[in-house]
């Protein structure tokens, strides 16, 4: 299998903490999987001593399938999953140490969570137009992503509206505890709290995971950052892969400082850049670079490709978001019809003012 020099460095590096700054289309999933295999084949660790976490079920499934193809049955013992799946597995084993929850806890999805919040608003006689269930749910979620309980949220509240949301949070948390239930954000927050407060459990898992790999690190929130930091504290073999220029999930709690400050958090870290793109034409990359260079607080990186120059790009200034969505949809369908293209062959760049 052919690799570029930078890909080889990322796969074979024997440094301890590593940041792989992987640009779009640079083959980062392949690099991440092959790094897993390289470490296993080099007998640096057994399969159950490696933790690999990513953000979506689709990404975890793709990675799992690649590892399965390469190492067969042994792949089932690699802890490879989303953050939430890892925490659910961890808590099924350890949550009774909290003294609050039983290991047969139920997990509430977003709909279940909103139903309980509506009950809380009704019990507190709060106007659901002023305190919409969705906005309250989002505020509580953001607090949990920052590892804030109801007391901390109430302490930080600086107006009536925020104080009331903190009261809703307290009632909501009580209802979940009484039902032996956790929401998705609890999976992360309670895992972190349990590791921070229970030395035996912390030591056990820090010792277990000799190698930790995190995909899409630019999308980590406060709880995910802290979870990773705690687990990697003993062996210092943390490899994160991500791209600050692709950080688009600030609205759901992602903190770009996690990737921007990686070298500050881990001063001995090695940074490896993957800048060659295998997916797009030169014209698309030139446009992408022109858009990206306007990002503030970014680290220098230049996407490049050996692919053809390609067709010229079309620029369209939409009147509003509906017009923009209509243009994008129409363009995609037209390209698929004319060129029999797959969705992965079409690139649309946009910049908002």
């Amino acid at each position: 299998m052919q690799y570029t020099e930078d890909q080889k460095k990322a796969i074979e590096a024997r440094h301890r903490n590593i940041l792989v700054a992987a640009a779009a289309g640079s083959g980062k999933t392949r690099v991440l999987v092959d790094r897993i295999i390289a470490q296993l084949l080099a007998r640096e660790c057994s399969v159950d001593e490696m933790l690999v976490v990513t953000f979506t079920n689709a990404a975890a499934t793709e990675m799992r399938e690649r590892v399965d193809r390469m190492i067969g049955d042994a792949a089932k013992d690699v802890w490879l999953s989303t953050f939430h799946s890892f925490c659910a597995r961890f808590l099924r084993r350890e949550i009774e140490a909290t003294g609050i929850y039983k290991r047969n806890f139920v997990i509430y999805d977003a709909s279940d969570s909103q139903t309980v919040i509506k009950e809380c608003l009704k019990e507190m006689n709060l106007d659901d137009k002023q305190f919409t269930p969705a906005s309250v749910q989002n505020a509580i979620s953001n607090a949990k992503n920052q590892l804030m309980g109801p007391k901390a949220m109430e302490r930080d509240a600086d107006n009536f509206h925020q104080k009331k949301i903190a009261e809703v949070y307290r009632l909501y948390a009580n209802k979940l505890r009484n039902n032996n239930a956790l929401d998705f954000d609890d999976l992360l927050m309670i895992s972190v709290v349990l590791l921070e407060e229970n030395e035996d459990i912390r030591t056990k898992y820090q010792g277990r995971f000799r190698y930790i790999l995190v995909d899409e690190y630019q999308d980590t929130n406060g709880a995910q950052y802290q979870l990773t930091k705690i687990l990697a504290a003993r062996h210092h073999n943390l490899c994160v892969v991500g791209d600050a220029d692709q950080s688009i999930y600030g609205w759901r709690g992602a903190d770009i400082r996690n990737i921007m400050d990686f070298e500050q958090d881990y001063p001995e870290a090695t940074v490896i850049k993957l800048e060659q793109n295998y997916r797009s034409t030169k014209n698309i990359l030139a446009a992408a670079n022109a858009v990206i260079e306007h990002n503030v607080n970014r680290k220098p990186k230049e996407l490049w490709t050996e692919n053809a120059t390609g067709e010229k790009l079309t620029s369209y200034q939409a009147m509003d978001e509906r017009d923009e969505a209509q243009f994008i949809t129409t363009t995609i369908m037209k390209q698929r019809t004319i060129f029999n293209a797959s969705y992965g062959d079409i690139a649309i760049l946009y910049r908002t003012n």
Side-chain angles (χ1 to χ4, degrees):
M1 204 174 274
Q2 295 295 313
Y3 301 107
T4 66
E5 284 304 310
D6 289 332
Q7 286 177 331
K8 266 191 210 174
K9 285 180 191 173
I11 293 167
E12 298 173 359
R14 294 295 176 262
H15 311 288
R16 302 190 92 181
N17 295 318
I18 300 170
L19 165 61
V20 180
S26 62
K28 61 118 176 148
T29 302
R30 176 187 170 198
V31 166
L32 192 58
V33 170
D34 288 1
R35 180 169 176 81
I36 296 169
I37 307 308
Q39 286 170 341
L40 291 176
L41 294 182
R43 300 183 182 278
E44 292 187 22
C45 66
S46 63
V47 286
D48 62 348
E49 291 178 318
M50 182 176 290
L51 172 63
V52 185
V53 284
T54 187
F55 281 80
T56 65
N57 288 320
T61 299
E62 179 188 359
M63 219 175 294
R64 169 69 68 185
E65 288 172 352
R66 291 193 188 198
V67 174
D68 285 349
R69 286 197 298 271
M70 295 180 79
I71 64 173
D73 289 343
K76 69 180 184 300
D77 294 321
V78 177
W79 286 56
L80 194 164
S81 65
T82 63
F83 271 103
H84 290 91
S85 293
F86 165 76
C87 289
R89 182 178 178 183
F90 166 75
L91 291 173
R92 290 293 179 200
R93 300 180 179 200
E94 309 295 348
I95 198 168
E96 292 190 354
T98 63
I100 299 171
Y101 299 95
K102 300 295 182 185
R103 66 180 57 194
N104 64 340
F105 61 85
V106 294
I107 301 173
Y108 283 1
D109 64 17
S111 177
D112 298 326
S113 170
Q114 195 164 118
T115 297
V116 178
I117 286 171
K118 287 176 182 177
E119 292 174 7
C120 295
L121 294 172
K122 188 173 182 181
E123 286 182 29
M124 294 174 62
N125 294 315
L126 293 174
D127 183 357
D128 63 7
K129 292 185 175 61
Q130 184 180 4
F131 296 88
T132 64
S135 66
V136 173
Q137 183 179 31
N138 187 58
I140 293 172
S141 176
N142 286 339
K144 290 184 178 185
N145 287 337
Q146 297 173 57
L147 302 174
M148 294 173 62
K151 280 185 182 178
M153 191 182 194
E154 190 171 10
R155 188 172 58 245
D156 285 1
D158 55 13
N159 58 51
F160 172 80
H161 191 267
Q162 290 176 1
K163 288 183 186 299
K164 283 299 175 185
I165 291 178
E167 290 177 25
V168 176
Y169 183 6
R170 185 185 302 280
L171 180 58
Y172 170 75
N174 287 338
K175 285 181 177 290
L176 262 59
R177 277 196 296 271
N178 291 338
N179 290 328
N180 194 35
L182 278 63
D183 63 22
F184 286 141
D185 299 308
D186 285 327
L187 293 173
L188 294 167
M189 185 172 75
I190 293 173
S191 293
V192 172
V193 171
L194 190 52
L195 286 165
E196 286 179 335
E197 295 183 352
N198 191 303
E199 184 178 359
D200 289 342
I201 292 175
R202 182 172 66 250
T203 301
K204 173 181 171 183
Y205 284 88
Q206 285 176 339
R208 174 168 195 159
F209 297 122
R210 290 182 56 203
Y211 287 88
I212 299 174
L213 296 92
V214 182
D215 190 20
E216 305 291 4
Y217 192 67
Q218 77 278 356
D219 292 332
T220 50
N221 59 35
Q224 290 159 339
Y225 165 83
Q226 192 63 20
L227 177 69
T228 303
K229 190 173 183 180
I230 292 169
L231 292 174
R234 177 172 175 182
H235 293 294
H236 304 282
N237 284 319
L238 173 64
C239 175
V240 303
V241 181
D243 181 8
D245 290 331
Q246 296 183 65
S247 179
I248 59 173
Y249 290 114
W251 57 273
R252 70 176 187 193
D255 190 344
I256 195 173
R257 291 175 300 179
N258 295 346
I259 192 167
M260 294 296 292
D261 295 344
F262 187 81
E263 295 157 86
Q264 181 178 316
D265 292 335
Y266 304 94
E268 78 288 9
T270 298
V271 179
I272 300 169
K273 293 182 182 179
L274 302 183
E275 298 173 299
Q276 183 175 357
N277 178 288
Y278 300 93
R279 184 187 302 156
S280 305
T281 63
K282 287 183 173 67
N283 279 337
I284 288 173
L285 289 193
N289 283 327
V291 172
I292 290 168
E293 70 181 12
H294 292 280
N295 289 0
V296 294
N297 299 324
R298 70 181 294 261
K299 295 185 178 181
K301 186 167 73 279
E302 189 75 16
L303 280 71
W304 63 278
T305 186
E306 293 179 346
N307 292 342
T309 301
E311 299 293 325
K312 289 184 177 180
L313 276 64
T314 299
S315 176
Y316 180 78
Q317 186 169 346
M319 292 182 292
D320 54 31
E321 65 273 13
R322 289 178 178 274
D323 184 32
E324 177 188 20
Q326 182 62 51
F327 172 77
I328 290 173
T329 305
T330 302
T331 300
I332 290 174
M333 298 310 296
K334 190 183 298 181
Q335 293 294 316
R336 278 176 55 79
T337 301
I338 295 173
F339 300 107
N340 193 29
S342 68
Y343 289 121
D345 294 327
I346 302 169
I348 295 177
L349 308 171
Y350 66 94
R351 182 182 174 195
T352 57
N353 294 322

